[in-house]
Amino acid sequence: GSQLRESTLVEMVVCQLVRIRNDTSRTFFLRHSTELFYSPEVGGEPCRSEAITIPPGFDQPCKEFVIPWAATASSGLVVWQAAEEGQAKVRCVVGPSEIDGGST
């Protein structure tokens, strides 16, 4: 029933951001995973599907900001420095380690 479904969802969350801080002199952009079960917030403001601008000196708490499993995510948490298309981006997901035998 619903108890099993809720338990399964909780067990799948392995990593959540609790704070976003930029101690550099560069502006970054961040797009959260589009997980249907979460409503991420940064600094008390809801995050939509658009990118979040992280300017120098940014320091805000966040909640329900999930970094998903690699096997179940189309993009995960994405971070990049330039706003122009074609710039290098970092995709953050959680996945098995070779130490774990590479199993999911």
Side-chain angles (χ1 to χ4, degrees):
S2 64
Q3 287 181 331
L4 177 60
R5 193 174 315 153
E6 289 173 358
S7 175
T8 302
L9 292 175
V10 170
E11 290 173 1
M12 292 183 73
V13 175
V14 293
C15 188
Q16 286 190 8
L17 294 181
V18 295
R19 183 167 219 80
I20 298 173
R21 179 179 294 153
N22 181 0
D23 290 333
T24 73
S25 61
R26 299 176 179 176
T27 296
F28 292 90
F29 301 91
L30 185 140
R31 181 172 288 121
H32 67 86
S33 172
T34 54
E35 295 290 324
L36 299 175
F37 305 109
Y38 303 97
S39 301
E41 294 180 8
V42 175
E45 296 293 321
C47 299
R48 308 281 189 265
S49 59
E50 67 269 2
I52 300 164
T53 303
I54 311 297
F58 189 91
D59 186 8
Q60 292 291 323
C62 51
K63 66 183 206 181
E64 293 195 33
F65 217 97
V66 175
I67 299 177
W69 277 104
T72 62
S74 59
S75 62
L77 174 69
V78 181
V79 181
W80 67 99
Q81 182 178 341
E84 299 140 16
E85 283 299 315
Q87 296 296 318
K89 296 179 181 179
V90 175
R91 175 180 177 236
C92 304
V93 293
V94 176
S97 167
E98 289 185 27
I99 294 171
D100 299 328
S103 64
T104 55

